């Protein structure tokens, strides 16, 4: 048996690559989402700051112009603008490289326009052809310029001393600094996202390799398994290094490999034993047929002896084949007989009386400690077969004391059946192997008694198939006790089944 797995390094269909790709996408989306949220937050905060600066700036101009009691002209307007102390009112609107303040405003995209009370333009820091509507007071509007964010603000100019309308002021904020900062931030975010992609790929595939390393180790172990090393190759639990579902899976795989190794060993032993068992009767039949072919046809005595020996060996082969079939079927009892129910005392009583009739020279005792009949979930014929196998062995290996005890008792939701003889007994080594297929304590004597060493194996397979167990206790020269334990059906389950049937 060789376990072959199609293993390709770097296979894109590998679960490690799939999960590496998924983790990469997850990490990358997280980076993009975080960068986008931070950028939008920064941009919104900067935009609100620019809006507040524009509001303060328009108010400051209006207040400065309101301090003039004379009529506004183009000459005094420019001087008033130069006198505005913006360094204390708004961030960023200060002299740049020692150039005049008005030039600094122009570089930052700020245009100031002043009108007389009639709405006629007196002064503007930069040519602007926008329409002017006389305001009734302070205003600040979001106005896009060439598709980009900006503000348009304005206010009336009222003389503080006389309370007379002295004109109007209109300011355009193109937000050059704001757009430059946002553009730089966008470039930085793009670089962060690009870098984040490579980092996400490294983290995604790195974590996938780490997470699925135990699975890779399991795969490598399964790939290395062959018929020759099946009994030695196992997943190293220390290498898995955690007590989680993967560790449990490794344990179960190792347990399965142990079972497979046992089955392979049993299969080899089974084939060897069957070959050996069939070889002898086949050779005997062949020898007698050759004997008949040479001169037995004309010798009635040789003919009778050869035919009798051949028929005897063929009968033994038929028995062996039947026992092998029984053994293979015993492994499938839960599939075909899971709903069978049998009264245990009734079956034991029947077998007990049958053996009393078959072996009148033996003394059989039956001790029933049950207070009432109990039903167990087993096919009746199988329970009979188990009891017959054990009683046959008890009869075969009894010596001078021809006495056999059968007892039945109840303990912890289980029925216990014990069959005791006072015959040859067996050693501790034999007790450990007695349930193995084709195992016989004394092969020469067993062959004389007609056994093949399969009976106890069949009984064990049947009992374990019904979730029971069988054990043996023995002492050389003092006899043997076989104990069977099978779960019985409780009264609550009986009542439930009766109600279900009535419904």
């Amino acid at each position: 048996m060789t376990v072959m797995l199609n293993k390709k390094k770097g296979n894109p269909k590998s679960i490690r690559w799939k999960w590496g790709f998924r983790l990469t996408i997850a990490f990358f989306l997280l980076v993009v989402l975080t960068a986008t949220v931070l950028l939008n937050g920064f941009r919104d905060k900067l935009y609100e700051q620019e809006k507040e600066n524009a509001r303060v700036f328009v108010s400051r101009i209006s207040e400065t112009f309101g301090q003039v009691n004379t009529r506004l002209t183009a000459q005094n307007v420019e001087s008033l603008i130069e006198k505005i102390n913006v360094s204390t009112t708004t961030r960023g609107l200060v002299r740049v490289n020692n150039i005049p303040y008005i030039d600094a405003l122009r570089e930052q995209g700020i245009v100031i326009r002043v009108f007389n009370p009639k709405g006629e333009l007196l002064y503007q820091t930069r040519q602007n052809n926008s329409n002017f509507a006389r305001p009734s007071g302070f205003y600040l509007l979001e106005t896009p310029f060439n598709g980009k964010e900006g503000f348009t603000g304005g206010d009336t100019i009222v003389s503080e001393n006389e309370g007379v309308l002295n004109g109007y002021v209109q300011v355009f904020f193109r937000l050059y600094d704001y757009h430059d900062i946002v553009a730089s931030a966008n470039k930085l975010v793009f670089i962060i996202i690009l870098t984040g992609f490579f980092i996400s790929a490294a983290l995604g595939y790195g974590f996938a390799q780490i997470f699925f390393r135990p699975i890779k180790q399991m795969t490598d172990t399964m790939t290395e398994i062959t018929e020759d090393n099946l009994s030695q190759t196992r997943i190293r639990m220390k290498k898995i290094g955690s007590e989680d579902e993967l560790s449990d899976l490794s344990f179960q795989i190792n347990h399965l490999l142990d079972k497979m190794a046992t089955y392979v060993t049993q299969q080899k032993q089974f084939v060897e034993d069957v070959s050996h068992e069939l070889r002898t009767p086949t050779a005997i039949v062949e020898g007698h047929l050759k004997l008949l072919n040479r001169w037995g046809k004309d010798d009635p005595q040789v003919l009778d002896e050869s035919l009798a020996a051949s028929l005897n060996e063929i009968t033994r082969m038929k028995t062996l084949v039947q026992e092998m079939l029984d053994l293979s079927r015993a492994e499938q009892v839960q599939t075909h007989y899971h709903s069978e129910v049998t009264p245990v005392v009734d079956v034991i009583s029947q077998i007990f009386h049958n053996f009393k009739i078959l072996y009148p020279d033996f003394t059989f005792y039956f001790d029933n400690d049950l207070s009432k009949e109990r039903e167990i979930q087993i096919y009746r014929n199988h329970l009979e077969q188990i009891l017959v196998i054990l009683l046959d062995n008890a009869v075969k290996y009894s010596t001078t004391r021809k006495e056999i005890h059968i007892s039945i008792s109840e303990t912890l939701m289980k029925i216990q059946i014990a069959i005791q003889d006072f015959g040859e007994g067996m050693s501790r080594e034999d007790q450990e192997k007695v349930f193995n297929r084709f195992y016989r304590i004394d092969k020469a004597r067993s062959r004389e008694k007609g056994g093949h060493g399969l009976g106890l194996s069949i009984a064990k397979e049947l009992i374990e198939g019904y979730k029971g167990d069988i054990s043996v206790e023995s002492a050389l020269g003092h006899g043997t006790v076989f104990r069977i334990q099978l779960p019985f059906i409780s009264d609550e389950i009986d009542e439930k089944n009766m109600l279900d049937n009535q419904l």
Side-chain angles (χ1 to χ4, degrees):
M1 180 194 69
T2 303
V3 180
M4 298 295 293
L5 294 177
N6 187 14
K7 177 186 173 187
K8 298 180 181 178
K9 292 186 177 180
N11 181 7
K13 294 183 180 179
S14 166
I15 189 171
R16 287 179 293 149
W17 284 91
K18 289 179 181 178
W19 275 100
F21 176 74
R22 292 168 183 170
L23 288 173
T24 297
I25 296 299
F27 287 138
F28 181 64
L29 290 176
L30 181 62
V31 170
V32 171
L33 180 63
T34 302
T36 303
V37 170
L38 292 176
L39 176 62
N40 289 336
F42 170 75
R43 186 170 58 189
D44 292 343
K45 186 175 181 180
L46 184 61
Y47 184 78
E48 290 299 323
Q49 185 63 48
E50 292 290 346
K51 191 174 183 179
E52 180 62 25
N53 290 342
R55 184 180 291 106
V56 172
F57 186 68
V58 173
S59 299
R60 183 66 179 179
I61 292 178
S62 177
E63 292 173 3
T64 303
F65 278 67
Q67 296 172 1
V68 179
N69 294 322
T70 60
R71 185 171 59 89
L72 295 176
T73 62
Q75 291 74 21
N76 62 9
V77 167
E78 185 170 346
S79 62
L80 287 171
I81 293 175
E82 285 286 352
K83 290 179 181 179
I84 298 175
N85 184 12
V86 295
S87 61
T88 60
T89 58
T90 179
R91 180 180 62 83
L93 301 178
V94 296
R95 295 181 181 272
V96 180
N97 296 328
N98 295 322
I99 64 175
Y101 180 65
I102 292 178
D103 292 338
L105 294 178
R106 291 171 182 164
E107 288 192 3
Q108 295 182 50
I110 299 175
V111 178
I112 301 174
R113 302 172 73 192
V114 181
F115 301 85
N116 62 19
K118 296 181 180 181
E120 297 171 348
L121 180 64
L122 296 177
Y123 178 83
Q124 59 182 356
T125 58
R126 185 176 181 178
Q127 183 65 35
N128 192 296
N129 298 322
S130 300
N131 296 328
F132 172 71
R134 298 179 187 183
S136 58
F138 174 85
Y139 70 93
L140 185 67
L141 303 174
E142 296 183 5
T143 306
F145 297 100
N146 298 325
K148 295 183 178 181
E149 295 98 329
F151 304 117
T152 300
D155 199 357
T156 55
I157 300 174
V158 180
S159 175
E160 292 182 356
N161 296 330
E162 299 179 359
V164 178
L165 179 64
N166 209 7
Y168 306 94
V169 62
Q170 185 183 38
V171 186
F172 300 97
F173 300 90
R174 295 180 180 271
L175 305 181
Y176 288 165
D177 287 346
Y178 166 78
H179 292 301
D180 290 341
I181 294 173
V182 170
S184 299
N186 287 336
K187 291 179 182 178
L188 179 61
V189 168
F190 176 76
I191 294 173
I192 291 174
I193 290 176
L194 186 63
T195 306
F197 172 77
F198 293 104
I199 295 176
S200 299
L203 289 175
Y205 284 96
F207 280 125
Q209 295 291 329
I210 294 173
F211 291 156
F212 292 99
R213 184 180 299 164
I215 295 180
K216 182 177 182 298
Q217 292 170 359
M218 296 178 198
T219 305
D220 293 341
T221 301
M222 299 300 290
T223 305
E224 294 170 2
I225 292 176
T226 62
E227 185 177 352
D228 297 329
N229 64 10
L230 177 60
S231 58
Q232 294 86 24
T233 305
R234 294 294 181 273
I235 298 172
R236 287 175 284 180
M237 305 296 290
K238 290 183 179 179
K239 223 171 176 184
I240 301 299
S242 61
E243 296 182 359
D244 53 14
E245 288 81 357
L246 290 177
S247 179
D248 294 339
L249 178 60
S250 301
F251 176 80
Q252 294 299 330
I253 291 176
N254 285 340
H255 184 61
L256 177 62
L257 292 175
D258 291 338
K259 283 187 175 181
M260 290 174 61
T262 302
Y263 291 153
V264 169
T265 302
Q266 290 178 350
Q267 183 186 32
K268 289 181 179 179
Q269 186 65 39
F270 183 81
V271 172
E272 292 174 1
D273 291 340
V274 168
S275 300
H276 179 270
E277 292 294 331
L278 290 177
R279 188 183 299 118
T280 301
T282 303
I284 293 173
V285 171
E286 183 183 16
H288 282 288
L289 289 176
K290 287 181 179 180
L291 181 65
L292 289 175
N293 190 45
R294 289 175 184 171
W295 59 75
K297 299 175 184 177
D298 300 325
D299 190 336
Q301 183 178 356
V302 173
L303 180 62
D304 290 341
E305 291 178 356
S306 297
L307 288 175
S310 298
L311 288 173
N312 183 54
E313 294 304 318
I314 289 174
T315 301
R316 285 186 62 228
M317 283 192 287
K318 285 176 60 180
T319 304
L320 176 61
V321 171
Q322 184 60 49
E323 288 181 346
M324 286 165 37
L325 289 174
D326 290 341
L327 190 59
S328 65
R329 291 168 182 164
E331 298 171 352
Q332 304 173 7
V333 292
Q334 278 299 317
T335 304
H336 303 292
Y337 303 100
H338 63 278
S339 59
E340 296 289 338
V341 174
T342 298
V344 63
V345 177
D346 179 56
V347 174
I348 295 177
S349 299
Q350 175 188 327
I351 299 297
F352 168 71
H353 290 298
N354 290 344
F355 268 77
K356 285 180 67 176
I357 296 171
L358 286 173
Y359 302 98
D361 54 332
F362 274 78
T363 302
F364 292 89
Y365 296 93
F366 178 30
D367 297 325
N368 180 11
D369 292 336
L370 298 185
S371 58
K372 61 178 181 178
E373 177 68 277
R374 288 290 186 182
E375 291 187 335
I376 55 178
Q377 197 163 356
I378 187 173
Y379 183 42
R380 184 185 182 98
N381 289 358
H382 286 163
L383 181 58
E384 292 175 354
Q385 186 176 7
I386 292 168
L387 295 173
V388 167
I389 289 171
L390 296 179
L391 288 170
D392 267 338
N393 278 346
V395 170
K396 286 178 184 178
Y397 294 100
S398 291
T399 52
T400 56
R401 184 177 174 180
K402 296 185 177 183
E403 181 180 327
I404 295 174
H405 289 252
I406 306 171
S407 65
I408 180 171
S409 59
E410 177 183 326
T411 173
L412 297 175
M413 296 297 295
K414 287 188 176 181
I415 294 295
Q416 186 178 85
I417 305 169
I419 297 176
Q420 181 180 10
D421 66 66
F422 301 91
E424 300 175 2
M426 64 184 81
S427 66
R428 183 171 296 276
E429 181 183 359
D430 289 331
Q431 293 176 47
E432 294 174 354
K433 299 178 181 179
V434 72
F435 295 107
N436 293 348
R437 298 178 180 184
F438 294 105
Y439 183 79
R440 291 178 296 202
I441 298 172
D442 186 336
K443 294 191 176 182
R445 295 187 64 184
S446 297
R447 186 174 289 111
E448 291 174 2
K449 295 175 184 290
H452 296 97
L454 285 175
L456 291 177
S457 299
I458 294 171
K460 186 174 187 294
E461 289 288 346
L462 286 171
I463 291 169
E464 291 182 349
Y466 290 107
K467 299 183 176 4
D469 61 82
I470 182 171
S471 60
V472 60
E473 296 175 11
S474 184
L476 281 172
H478 293 84
T480 303
V481 180
F482 283 95
R483 286 189 171 86
I484 302 169
Q485 285 192 345
L486 287 165
F488 65 81
I489 301 175
S490 65
D491 296 336
E492 291 79 4
I493 296 177
D494 289 340
E495 292 176 2
K496 182 178 183 299
N497 291 335
M498 290 177 61
L499 289 174
D500 291 342
N501 292 333
Q502 291 175 0
L503 293 175

